[in-house]
């Protein structure tokens, strides 16, 4: 089924069944430990991609992401939750934040993160190479595709990514479909301690963000340096349901 | 602002600066170099200063103290009025060799306008309450010095001249006033004298006295006249009676005597004759005739007294006496009446006199007053004249002038104003400050969020994290085009600056 060199890891059969419900704790950790990875990215490559790693020189940034991660965990009552990361302007850094947030979650040996790219505007794909074949929108359109078909390994341990796919233009309609809910439920509960991170388009620009906000447990807004006014921030905050708004992140 | 906010502001500032690196460095370079160039071409000006001590007292003031007001003029204005005149400025220009004998009138006018400019030419400033500062700037130190020196000389001389002139004029003026007052005084005296000589009417008191005495005399005279008149009247009455009586008696006496004689003859006849004798009867008839005549006389006497002037019958001494009394009395009366008339006339005159007197007293007091005032003024003027003479003498000896040189002008060895080293320091500062200033203002005014602290002001906004910017590796950064060019420009600027500094110290400027 997959003709690329980067097979979706979920395809490879594990000892553990894919659709089973939450196994025991020791079994879950085991599960996560034994997630199959492709070639691990080196530290230099990670630095180049601006993704955090434990040995990076900028410890402050590393710890900031860790702190953010902790806060989010504290906010959530469940161990599996979904977060939407949206910036206030295009190229505002939501991709950077979401990637690094996902990496932060993945640092923990007992967690795994799935980064879902719903930002149709970002067209540079740096985590997955070579370019994947299927994405989220493909799955939503094509009922034959399985969830496992659209989840790929990134070269960072315990971090998976789902690209947007080829039908990004009709994403608004697709995201409101039932299949989206199925997707989320499936991916959330695949592993214990799994976090879904959605990299969404800017709230003020695209209606997708609001749709995804409804689907997620939390929303984080990324405020870029020197690009938005207070009014814009307030407007964006107001467009998100208040119980789902986790806070803002200032991207300097 | 909290210190943290300031710190964030600075960080943001630096970030913006490095974002707009090329622009910043270019602006820095341009401004630095242009300021340096400005410093090179900036003309060095040398300024000479002199200070004058101003004695504010006016020459006229002590002379007219209490009688006239002296105004306190702004000393700068006063000096300006004296200095910025064509006369003085031209003299100064010639003395300082700014003009020669052959200068055209246009040149003269230009130089004078230049000197007279209150900013660019000769400056007059206050330097404390009684001090004036004169200063002049020129690119040539010697000219600057010469101008101020010439100015001081011309000014002081001019002032001394005018003070002398002033005090002489003051003296002359006062002299004139004195003459005037003297003439007025003489005139007043003359008027008074004339008036007094014309006024033979005497004083009021004497006139009143005279009037009173005259009136008394007239009254007495009246009384005596009345007395005399009554006396005369009674004498006349008596005379009249006597006269009548005498009148009667004289005429009737004749006939009575004849009657007696006749009777006697009758008697005689009767001796020898009887009564019926015709002689006797005729005698008796004569007697009867005589009696009739007597009766007639008595009757007509009453109407005709006057005719009976009996000068021949002055047999009555009483009558004589009465007549003499009467004439005396008449004489007395006439005298008295005459006297009374004369006195009344005198009284009339005195009344007239009194009236004239009261009319003239007002005029007299006026004249007297005028005379007194003129006299006082004249005496005062004499005093002032003495003072004026004194100060004139003082002035002629050169003392008592209003302006004195407090600090003489010194030759300016150093240029004033902005020197090259000012510019050397100023250039990089200006170069730095300009872009920083602009960008700081830009950051401050731009409503977009740059500082994390600003996020605090948004309600319902929980800040989860603040992430610093991610920098590229050093080498990569260096290799970027912007940075290369900026570095180049910076290098050029610094080398130009160093070059100019070096040449300055070597002495090219």
């Amino acid at each position: 089924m997959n003709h690329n060199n980067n097979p979706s890891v979920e395809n490879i059969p594990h000892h553990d069944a894919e659709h089973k419900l939450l196994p025991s704790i020791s079994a879950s950790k085991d599960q996560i430990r034994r997630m199959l990875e492709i070639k691990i990215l080196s530290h230099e490559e990670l630095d180049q991609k601006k993704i955090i790693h434990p040995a990076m020189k900028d410890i402050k940034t590393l710890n900031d992401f860790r702190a953010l991660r902790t806060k989010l965990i504290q906010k959530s009552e469940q161990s599996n939750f979904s977060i939407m990361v949206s910036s206030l302007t295009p190229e505002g850094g939501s991709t950077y934040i979401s990637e690094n947030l996902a990496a932060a979650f993945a640092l923990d040996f007992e967690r795994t993160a799935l980064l879902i790219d719903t930002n149709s505007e970002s067209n540079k794909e740096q985590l997955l190479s070579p370019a994947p074949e299927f994405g989220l929108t493909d799955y939503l359109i094509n009922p034959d595709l399985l969830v496992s078909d659209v989840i790929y390994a990134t070269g960072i341990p315990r971090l998976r990514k789902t690209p947007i796919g080829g039908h990004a233009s009709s994403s608004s309609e697709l995201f409101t479909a039932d299949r989206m809910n199925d997707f989320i439920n499936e991916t959330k509960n695949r592993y214990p301690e799994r976090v879904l991170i959605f990299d969404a388009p800017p709230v003020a620009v695209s209606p997708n963000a609001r749709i995804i906000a409804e689907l997620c447990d939390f929303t984080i807004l990324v405020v870029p340096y020197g690009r938005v006014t207070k009014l814009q921030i307030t407007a964006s905050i107001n467009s998100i349901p208040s119980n789902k708004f986790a806070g803002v992140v200032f991207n300097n | 602002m909290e210190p943290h906010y300031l710190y964030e502001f600075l960080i943001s500032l630096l970030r913006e600066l490095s974002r707009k690196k090329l622009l910043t460095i270019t602006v820095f370079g341009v401004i630095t170099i242009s300021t340096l160039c400005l410093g090179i071409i900036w003309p060095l000006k040398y300024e000479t200063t002199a200070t004058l001590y101003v004695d504010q007292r006016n020459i006229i003031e002590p002379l007219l103290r209490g009688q006239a007001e002296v105004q306190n003029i702004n000393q700068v204005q006063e000096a300006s009025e004296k200095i910025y005149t064509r006369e003085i400025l031209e003299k100064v220009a010639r003395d300082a060799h700014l003009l020669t004998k052959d200068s055209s009138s246009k040149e003269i006018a230009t130089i004078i306008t230049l000197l007279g400019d209150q900013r660019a030419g000769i400056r007059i400033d206050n330097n404390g309450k009684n001090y004036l500062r004169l200063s002049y700037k020129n690119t040539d130190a010697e000219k600057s010095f010469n101008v101020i020196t010439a100015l001081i000389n011309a000014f002081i001389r001019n002032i001394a001249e005018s003070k002398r002139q002033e005090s002489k004029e003051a003296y002359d003026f006062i002299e004139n006033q004195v003459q005037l007052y003297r003439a007025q005084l003489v005139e007043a005296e003359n008027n008074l004298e004339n008036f007094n000589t014309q006024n033979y009417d005497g004083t009021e008191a004497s006139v009143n006295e005279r009037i009173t005495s005259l009136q008394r005399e007239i009254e007495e005279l009246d009384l005596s006249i009345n007395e005399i008149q009554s006396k005369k009247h009674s004498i006349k009455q008596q005379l009249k009676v006597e006269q009548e009586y005498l009148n009667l008696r004289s005429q009737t006496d004749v006939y009575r005597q004849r009657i007696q004689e006749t009777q006697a003859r009758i008697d005689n006849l009767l001796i020898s004759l009887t009564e019926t004798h015709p002689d006797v009867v005729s005698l008796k008839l004569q007697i009867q005739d005589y009696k009739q005549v007597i009766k007639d006389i008595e009757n007509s006497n009453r109407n005709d007294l006057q005719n009976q002037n009996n000068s021949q019958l002055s047999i009555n001494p009483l009558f004589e006496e009465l007549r003499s009394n009467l004439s005396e009395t008449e004489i007395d009366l006439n005298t008295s009446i005459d006297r009374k008339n004369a006195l009344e006339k005198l009284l009339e005159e005195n009344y007239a006199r009194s009236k004239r007197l009261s009319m003239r007293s007002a005029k007299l007091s006026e004249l007297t007053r005028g005379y007194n005032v003129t006299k006082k003024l004249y005496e005062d003027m004499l005093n002032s004249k003495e003072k004026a003479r004194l100060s004139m003498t003082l002035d002629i000896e050169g003392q008592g002038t209003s302006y004195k040189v407090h600090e003489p002008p010194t030759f300016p060895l150093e240029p004033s104003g902005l020197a090259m080293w000012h510019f050397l320091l100023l250039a990089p500062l200006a170069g730095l400050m300009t872009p920083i200033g602009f960008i700081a203002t830009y950051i401050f005014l731009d409503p977009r969020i740059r500082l994390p602290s600003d996020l605090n002001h948004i309600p319902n906004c929980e800040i989860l994290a603040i992430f610093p910017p991610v920098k590229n590796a050093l080498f990569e950064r260096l290799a970027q085009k912007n940075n290369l060019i900026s570095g180049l420009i910076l290098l050029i600027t610094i080398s130009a600056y160093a070059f100019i500094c070096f040449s300055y110290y070597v002495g090219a400027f």
Side-chain angles (χ1 to χ4, degrees):
Chain A
M1 211 174 335
N2 299 317
H3 299 293
N4 45 8
N5 294 335
N6 182 10
S8 63
V9 283
E10 318 292 293
N11 246 351
I12 300 174
H14 280 257
H15 293 294
D16 311 314
E18 291 173 348
H19 298 285
K20 278 224 180 89
L21 294 174
L22 294 171
S24 63
I25 307 252
S26 55
S28 69
K29 288 190 189 162
D30 211 36
Q31 233 182 344
I32 293 170
R33 229 177 297 133
R34 285 203 252 135
M35 280 167 81
L36 222 67
E37 305 289 348
I38 55 170
K39 174 176 170 297
I40 309 287
L41 290 172
S42 67
H43 290 177
E44 290 80 19
E45 287 170 315
L46 286 174
D47 279 336
Q48 218 178 2
K49 294 180 194 289
K50 298 196 191 150
I51 294 181
I52 59 174
H53 58 89
M56 64 191 292
K57 290 197 189 97
D58 189 358
I59 296 190
K60 184 170 182 308
T61 307
L62 175 62
N63 287 333
D64 284 341
F65 274 108
R66 280 175 169 155
L68 178 60
R69 172 193 73 189
T70 314
K71 271 193 201 165
L72 290 169
I73 292 171
Q74 281 168 353
K75 274 193 198 269
S76 161
E77 286 143 23
Q78 305 160 334
S79 52
N80 282 17
F81 54 95
S82 54
I83 306 170
M84 180 184 94
V85 176
S86 168
S87 97
L88 289 162
T89 57
E91 308 280 334
S94 60
T95 310
Y96 166 73
I97 297 288
S98 52
E99 281 176 358
N100 278 305
L101 185 58
F105 276 105
L107 284 177
D108 191 346
F109 289 105
E110 293 170 8
R111 287 186 192 279
T112 156
L114 172 62
L115 177 63
I116 302 164
D117 184 5
T118 52
N119 197 346
S120 45
E121 289 157 10
S122 115
N123 43 20
K124 42 182 177 89
E125 177 60 67
Q126 63 168 0
L127 277 185
L128 303 176
S129 62
E133 190 183 342
F134 297 113
L136 178 60
T137 46
D138 299 316
Y139 168 81
L140 292 173
I141 281 185
N142 188 347
D144 293 331
L145 284 175
L146 299 173
V147 170
S148 48
D149 291 334
V150 291
I151 298 182
Y152 301 88
T154 55
I156 300 170
R158 297 173 294 281
L159 176 61
R160 301 282 183 259
K161 179 162 176 177
T162 303
I164 181 111
H167 301 274
S169 44
S170 24
S171 49
S172 311
E173 293 72 37
L174 293 170
F175 290 159
T176 46
D178 284 334
R179 236 167 124 69
M180 186 66 181
N181 280 329
D182 295 339
F183 174 82
I184 290 177
N185 287 332
E186 240 189 85
T187 50
K188 221 194 236 182
N189 298 318
R190 186 174 209 83
Y191 290 99
E193 320 283 345
R194 183 170 229 176
V195 167
L196 301 179
I197 299 177
F198 286 83
D199 179 9
V203 173
V205 168
S206 157
N208 292 353
R210 277 192 225 178
I211 299 168
I212 298 172
E214 292 290 329
L215 299 170
C216 289
D217 295 321
F218 296 111
T219 302
I220 295 179
L221 286 179
V222 179
V223 174
Y225 168 85
R227 303 250 289 275
V228 288
T229 65
K230 269 192 204 159
L231 280 172
Q232 283 170 300
I233 297 176
T234 319
S236 302
I237 292 176
N238 288 340
S239 63
I240 301 195
S242 51
N243 57 338
K244 300 208 177 185
F245 180 60
V248 300
V249 164
F250 191 58
N251 182 17
N252 234 336
Chain B
M1 277 197 197
E2 311 147 10
H4 193 69
Y5 189 80
L6 213 57
Y7 169 74
E8 283 178 6
F9 190 84
L10 274 165
I11 300 280
S12 182
L13 183 69
L14 287 170
R15 212 168 128 177
E16 289 293 333
L17 278 175
S18 65
R19 264 213 214 168
K20 302 237 175 19
K21 213 167 294 180
L22 192 56
L23 190 63
T24 309
I25 297 279
T26 313
V27 167
F28 169 72
V30 164
I31 293 198
T32 310
I33 299 296
S34 50
T35 315
L36 285 174
C37 291
L38 191 66
I40 292 171
I41 60 176
W42 190 263
L44 288 175
K45 280 211 168 150
Y46 292 89
E47 184 182 11
T48 318
T49 317
T51 318
L52 295 178
Y53 173 68
V54 182
D55 199 358
Q56 275 278 32
R57 276 181 286 126
N58 202 324
I59 200 92
I60 300 286
E61 193 211 354
L63 302 176
L64 294 179
R65 194 170 292 148
Q67 284 168 337
E69 276 297 314
V70 177
Q71 271 138 2
N72 211 5
I73 313 174
N74 180 358
Q75 64 195 25
V76 169
Q77 206 177 331
E78 197 181 342
S80 303
E81 283 168 13
K82 295 202 177 87
I83 289 178
Y84 292 132
T85 57
R86 206 202 151 82
E87 188 190 326
I88 288 200
L89 288 180
E90 188 172 343
K91 186 166 193 330
V92 165
R94 286 194 193 280
D95 287 346
H97 308 298
L98 293 173
L99 292 172
T100 61
K101 286 196 197 103
D102 308 323
S103 299
S104 69
S105 54
K106 187 169 173 198
E107 273 178 27
I108 296 175
T110 318
I111 294 278
I112 287 177
T113 317
L114 186 68
L115 285 179
D117 187 325
Q118 291 204 336
R119 294 273 147 222
I122 296 173
R123 280 189 63 156
I124 306 174
D125 294 307
N126 257 321
N127 197 19
K129 188 165 186 287
N130 284 329
Y131 294 92
L132 272 183
R133 188 175 65 234
L134 305 171
S135 56
Y136 179 62
K137 281 190 195 161
N138 199 307
T139 45
D140 187 349
E142 202 172 319
K143 275 194 189 149
S144 165
F145 180 69
N146 286 342
V147 161
I148 290 286
T149 315
L151 177 67
I152 299 257
N153 287 339
F155 182 56
I156 299 283
R157 206 175 301 141
N158 180 286
I159 292 292
E161 260 319 304
S162 63
K163 282 279 170 253
R164 239 169 266 168
Q165 186 78 3
E166 219 176 280
S167 72
K168 182 157 191 313
E169 280 171 10
Y171 178 76
D172 288 341
F173 167 74
I174 288 183
E175 175 72 36
N176 276 344
Q177 291 303 105
V178 163
Q179 296 301 335
L180 251 151
Y181 280 126
R182 155 120 49 85
Q184 277 184 15
L185 192 66
V186 164
E187 199 185 311
E189 270 179 4
N190 282 342
N191 283 345
L192 211 58
E193 208 182 298
N194 284 344
F195 187 80
N196 278 337
T197 54
Q198 283 172 14
N199 193 11
Y200 52 80
D201 285 343
T203 63
E204 208 162 289
S206 68
V207 168
N208 284 343
E209 207 185 301
R210 194 104 180 81
I211 286 175
T212 325
S213 73
L214 277 174
Q215 279 175 338
R216 204 175 41 240
E217 266 192 64
I218 289 174
E219 279 172 18
E220 285 177 6
L221 263 178
D222 266 339
L223 281 174
S224 74
I225 285 173
N226 281 342
E227 214 181 290
I228 295 171
Q229 271 182 337
S230 63
K231 188 170 168 189
K232 180 178 164 189
H233 188 72
S234 55
I235 290 176
K236 262 196 166 167
Q237 287 285 77
Q238 280 195 341
L239 259 177
K240 190 171 151 201
V241 163
E242 281 298 313
Q243 186 128 330
E244 276 184 0
Y245 178 69
L246 277 176
N247 231 3
L248 265 176
R249 290 270 302 169
S250 60
Q251 284 204 326
T252 50
D253 266 351
V254 168
Y255 290 101
R256 285 205 176 97
Q257 213 167 3
R258 289 194 186 157
I259 292 174
Q260 277 185 334
E261 285 173 4
T262 319
Q263 198 59 46
R265 284 177 51 205
I266 293 175
D267 287 333
N268 283 341
L269 293 172
L270 282 174
I271 304 173
S272 50
L273 303 161
T274 61
E275 273 192 29
T276 46
H277 203 268
D279 283 336
V280 171
V281 166
S282 71
L283 279 174
K284 271 195 189 164
L285 275 169
Q286 251 191 338
I287 290 176
Q288 276 186 351
D289 282 335
Y290 285 153
K291 279 194 183 162
Q292 186 64 39
V293 168
I294 288 174
K295 254 198 199 150
D296 285 341
I297 289 172
E298 279 182 346
N299 280 339
S300 67
N301 238 3
R302 296 201 172 80
N303 301 331
D304 208 26
L305 254 165
Q306 279 165 331
N307 293 338
Q308 315 305 323
N309 203 353
N310 315 312
S311 50
Q312 73 246 45
L313 296 174
S314 45
I315 39 166
N316 203 339
L318 181 61
F319 191 73
E320 284 296 321
E321 204 183 317
L322 281 179
R323 279 188 50 113
S324 69
N325 274 352
L326 181 66
S327 53
E328 270 179 35
T329 314
E330 274 185 8
I331 290 171
D332 273 346
L333 184 67
N334 285 337
T335 319
S336 294
I337 287 178
D338 282 343
R339 198 171 145 78
K340 182 183 167 188
N341 286 338
L343 282 180
E344 276 182 346
K345 205 163 146 209
L346 270 180
L347 186 66
E348 282 302 316
E349 271 180 28
N350 273 311
Y351 278 144
R353 223 172 110 195
S354 148
K355 238 185 242 165
R356 278 202 307 273
L357 264 184
S358 63
M359 280 196 312
R360 286 197 181 186
S361 72
K363 186 145 183 252
L364 178 68
S365 59
E366 195 186 303
L367 280 178
T368 318
R369 189 177 53 239
Y371 173 74
N372 283 340
V373 164
T374 312
K375 189 158 162 219
K376 182 174 183 300
L377 280 172
Y378 177 67
E379 282 169 3
D380 284 344
M381 272 293 140
L382 280 178
N383 277 341
S384 304
K385 180 174 155 184
E386 273 314 301
K387 286 188 199 163
R389 199 211 307 271
L390 216 76
S391 68
M392 193 173 82
T393 320
L394 275 179
D395 273 350
I396 287 171
E397 293 175 10
Q399 297 167 14
T401 53
S402 242
Y403 290 95
K404 275 202 180 110
V405 176
H406 183 250
E407 256 180 57
T410 52
F411 193 87
L413 297 166
E414 296 280 327
S416 71
L418 291 173
M420 184 61 188
W421 64 271
H422 285 124
F423 283 99
L424 281 179
L425 283 180
L426 188 66
L429 268 174
L432 270 176
M433 281 298 125
T434 317
I436 288 180
F438 275 126
I439 290 191
T441 319
Y442 171 68
I443 295 179
F444 192 74
L445 293 177
D446 194 9
R448 294 185 290 191
I449 303 284
R450 284 191 167 77
L451 315 175
S453 302
D454 285 339
L455 280 177
N456 288 333
H457 303 301
I458 304 176
N460 304 330
C461 178
E462 188 189 330
I463 301 179
L464 293 172
I466 300 172
F467 293 108
V470 179
K471 291 188 237 191
N472 290 333
L474 192 63
F475 187 69
E476 257 181 41
R477 280 191 281 149
L478 280 180
Q480 274 177 9
K481 187 175 80 174
N482 257 358
N483 291 344
L484 276 175
I485 300 181
S486 311
L488 194 63
I489 295 180
L490 190 63
L491 206 60
I492 294 176
T493 312
I494 292 179
S495 45
Y497 183 78
F499 175 70
I500 293 179
C501 276
F502 179 68
S503 359
Y504 173 69
Y505 277 108
V506 161
F509 305 118

